[in-house]
Amino acid sequence: MAQMKELANKIESAYSIVVLTGAGVSTASGIPDFRSSQGVWTYDRSREYYMSSEYFYKDPVDFWAKYKDIFRLKLLKNYEPNSVHTFLRNLELSGKQVSIITQNVDGLHATAGNEDIIEYHGNLNTATCPHCQSKYALEYVMKHETPYCDKTGCGDVLKPDIVLFGDPITKHEEAEQRIRQSELVLVMGTSLLVTPFNILPDYAAFTCGLPMAIMNREATPKDYLFDFVIHDDLVGVVKHLSAWM
């Protein structure tokens, strides 16, 4: 508890905060954690192949069937931000500059009201035509078993706006820029197993020399980098932090 109170003081005294978030932030909203020791990918590694750019171009019809099932798209609009999202929004409302760099593709940080969000792995709420770059909302995607571009003369199968396995990461430099501009880095709800997202804490520690805290239910391979290490349920963690701020 002493560490938690010290961290609360650190957060309260900082103006510019970068928060790196992962699936553990959204589990209280009912969204599965894909990367924990109990996560979806742990039990079926073939899903990584089916959710790859290679498989999308090989068999886009079957890709969409599996994609909608794995990411539970029918339920996406039923999910709401939880107290962890609200905690981060409240930091912003208190006058702090809060930048969120998230692995999550559910869009819940935006729904909660945070304004500066880097969706490192994209977003489930839209899809784009690879040919003409027309963008479509989730409502359109869900109306069609396999969503095609409806623009005249096009008709390509839409590609979801998430980073599939094999796709390039386009947000890394932007994420590093936010870290350089911050006073404090919080890492919440991520196992830090996915590259290159998991090298962002190294950048913050070794290049920028920033104070950092990690809050995750389980230990991670990067815990040694952090000044504060808290292994607990995030809902309980933010409740305690809020009480001391």
Side-chain angles (χ1 to χ4, degrees), residues 8-42:
N9 291 335
K10 194 76 173 177
I11 295 171
E12 192 166 24
S13 64
Y15 167 69
S16 179
I17 301 173
V18 162
V19 189
L20 309 182
T21 70
V25 168
S26 293
T27 52
S29 296
I31 298 175
D33 183 341
F34 286 82
R35 287 288 177 183
S36 73
S37 62
Q38 303 297 316
V40 171
W41 304 116
T42 304

Side-chain angles (χ1 to χ4, degrees), residues 38-93:
Q38 303 297 316
V40 171
W41 304 116
T42 304
Y43 294 106
D44 188 355
R45 293 295 181 183
S46 67
R47 293 178 189 226
E48 293 189 5
Y49 171 64
Y50 291 129
M51 292 300 99
S52 69
S53 188
E54 176 187 355
Y55 192 68
F56 169 79
Y57 287 109
K58 178 181 178 181
D59 191 344
V61 173
D62 191 53
F63 167 88
W64 270 106
K66 288 180 167 61
Y67 173 84
K68 289 181 177 182
D69 178 55
I70 289 171
F71 286 105
R72 302 167 70 180
L73 287 197
K74 287 183 179 179
L75 300 178
L76 188 60
K77 293 302 181 183
N78 296 337
Y79 298 132
E80 296 291 340
N82 59 60
S83 60
V84 185
H85 299 100
T86 302
F87 172 79
L88 297 178
R89 173 57 174 156
N90 286 341
L91 290 180
E92 194 173 291
L93 290 174

Side-chain angles (χ1 to χ4, degrees), residues 174-196:
E174 187 180 356
E176 287 187 345
Q177 180 186 37
R178 292 297 197 284
I179 290 171
R180 286 196 302 272
Q181 296 169 344
S182 71
E183 302 170 37
L184 174 67
V185 174
L186 306 178
V187 177
M188 304 181 74
T190 172
S191 55
L192 293 175
L193 294 175
V194 178
T195 303

Side-chain angles (χ1 to χ4, degrees), residues 28-170:
S29 296
I31 298 175
D33 183 341
F34 286 82
R35 287 288 177 183
S36 73
S37 62
Q38 303 297 316
V40 171
W41 304 116
T42 304
Y43 294 106
D44 188 355
R45 293 295 181 183
S46 67
R47 293 178 189 226
E48 293 189 5
Y49 171 64
Y50 291 129
M51 292 300 99
S52 69
S53 188
E54 176 187 355
Y55 192 68
F56 169 79
Y57 287 109
K58 178 181 178 181
D59 191 344
V61 173
D62 191 53
F63 167 88
W64 270 106
K66 288 180 167 61
Y67 173 84
K68 289 181 177 182
D69 178 55
I70 289 171
F71 286 105
R72 302 167 70 180
L73 287 197
K74 287 183 179 179
L75 300 178
L76 188 60
K77 293 302 181 183
N78 296 337
Y79 298 132
E80 296 291 340
N82 59 60
S83 60
V84 185
H85 299 100
T86 302
F87 172 79
L88 297 178
R89 173 57 174 156
N90 286 341
L91 290 180
E92 194 173 291
L93 290 174
S94 72
K96 298 182 186 298
Q97 174 62 53
V98 179
S99 299
I100 295 175
I101 305 167
T102 186
Q103 292 174 281
N104 297 337
V105 293
D106 51 51
L108 289 182
H109 285 299
T111 303
N114 278 100
E115 295 181 3
D116 186 20
I117 305 165
I118 296 174
E119 292 178 317
Y120 196 85
H121 291 148
N123 193 301
L124 290 169
N125 286 291
T126 57
T128 300
C129 175
H131 178 69
C132 72
Q133 302 304 307
S134 297
K135 191 176 287 287
Y136 293 81
L138 181 64
E139 289 76 12
Y140 179 87
V141 169
M142 295 309 299
K143 285 179 182 177
H144 307 275
E145 189 172 341
T146 304
Y148 290 84
C149 181
D150 65 358
K151 304 302 180 187
T152 303
C154 191
D156 271 16
V157 177
L158 304 184
K159 190 171 186 282
D161 287 335
I162 66 167
V163 177
L164 301 175
F165 290 96
D167 280 342
I169 297 291
T170 62

Side-chain angles (χ1 to χ4, degrees), residues 3-4 6-8 10-11 14 16-20 101 175-176 178-180 182-188 190 192 197-216 220-230 241:
Q3 182 181 212
M4 193 95 73
E6 186 180 351
L7 176 57
K10 194 76 173 177
I11 295 171
S16 179
I17 301 173
V18 162
V19 189
L20 309 182
I101 305 167
E176 287 187 345
R178 292 297 197 284
I179 290 171
R180 286 196 302 272
S182 71
E183 302 170 37
L184 174 67
V185 174
L186 306 178
V187 177
M188 304 181 74
T190 172
L192 293 175
F197 185 89
N198 67 352
I199 67 174
L200 291 173
D202 297 79
Y203 180 78
F206 298 127
T207 302
C208 303
L210 294 171
M212 299 197 300
I214 185 165
M215 292 157 271
N216 193 54
T220 80
K222 301 277 188 173
D223 281 359
Y224 68 93
L225 291 172
F226 293 86
D227 305 285
F228 301 90
V229 178
I230 298 171
L241 289 174

